[in-house]
Structure formats: C-alpha cells, structure tokens
Amino acid sequence: MEGKALVLLHRLSGSKKALDACRLVEKLYLAGEKVVVWFQDQGRAAIFDQYLWTFSDTSFVPHRLVVEKGEVEEPVAIVVGELVNPNQASHLVVVEPPKNYKGIRGFTQVHDLLLAGEERKDKWEAAGFQVEEARTR
C-alpha cells in the first residue's frame, strides 16, 4: 500500500492566487521537481496555462495543458477534471479545493493554496494525510 502524501498548506497573504501558484510551480521546477497543477474548471486551467507563460519576463516554465489522457514529457502538467499524473510528478499543486480528498494519491507532496479565510486542514487530515503549514519565503 502506498503512503499518503504530505500536504503543505500555503496561506496566501493577498488575493493573487494565480500569481502565487505560478511562483510556487516555478520554484518547484527550478528545484528539478515534476509538478501537476490540478483544476476542476477547464476555463480556469486554460487561463492559468497562458498566465504561466507570461507571469514573469525573466522566467520560463515548460508546461502543457493536458486535455487528453496520455503521458507528457513536460516537467509541469496542468490537469483538468479527473486527477491524473501524466508526467510522473512527485508534487501536486491544488488551486481549487478538491471534491474527493481521499482520491488523491501518487504524489509525495500536495501543495494546497489557501486565500485568507479558507481552511481545509481538517478535510485533509480526515482523508488520512499528514498536514503541515508551508514555510513562507
């Protein structure tokens, strides 16, 4: 039986979740990690896909918006709907709250981005995950 991922709660100080998600994905990519960014909504995923190309003039994060099942070579995959791991990533970035916390498996770390007032620690723990607060930069 595979172990559950460590969930890191990232408490965001502002309301720019997409920018913070881009910075986190870039940081993980630069550290040599493979990442899946998971969205429930296809429109939001498409917007994030474009934003990840343009959020900074000095960064380049190779990624692909995954719309069909299958493997991808890019180190960052943006996945919509059903959670899959097309690039064998060890890190999952959750931008929107999942509907089924217990269904998340196959990742070493899950990064949950929380805006002020959002709280999901109890839901992650109830699903059997170890939860920690992410260290701020």
Side-chain angles (χ1 to χ4, degrees):
M1 182 177 158
E2 67 185 80
K4 292 273 186 181
L6 169 65
V7 174
L8 294 170
L9 300 177
H10 296 263
R11 298 194 183 277
L12 309 179
S13 57
S15 61
K16 300 195 183 311
K17 189 182 267 192
L19 178 59
D20 288 321
C22 286
R23 288 178 177 155
L24 174 61
V25 169
E26 178 186 37
K27 179 179 173 184
L28 292 168
Y29 163 69
L30 291 175
E33 302 293 346
K34 290 186 177 182
V35 181
V36 166
V37 184
W38 184 34
F39 285 87
Q40 303 286 341
D41 181 81
Q42 188 161 358
R44 286 185 179 158
I47 291 168
F48 185 79
D49 174 40
Q50 292 303 310
Y51 192 47
L52 193 53
W53 291 121
T54 62
F55 80 98
S56 169
D57 291 339
T58 60
S59 70
F60 174 73
V61 180
H63 66 278
R64 177 181 291 185
L65 179 61
V66 178
V67 292
E68 295 180 7
K69 289 189 178 183
E71 294 189 8
V72 298
E73 293 181 17
E74 288 79 4
V76 176
I78 302 168
V79 174
V80 181
E82 179 186 350
L83 179 58
V84 293
N85 191 350
N87 60 350
Q88 307 306 306
S90 56
H91 292 261
L92 171 65
V93 175
V94 177
V95 182
E96 302 170 318
K99 292 179 179 150
N100 178 9
Y101 292 81
K102 290 183 180 182
I104 296 175
R105 57 186 166 281
F107 298 92
T108 305
Q109 288 189 351
V110 176
H111 302 266
D112 191 357
L113 303 176
L114 303 170
L115 293 174
E118 285 185 310
E119 185 55 62
R120 291 191 278 278
K121 182 177 182 181
D122 292 346
K123 291 179 180 180
W124 286 112
E125 288 177 339
F129 290 92
Q130 177 186 346
V131 181
E132 294 180 9
E133 298 285 331
R135 292 188 203 116
T136 56
R137 321 182 257 158

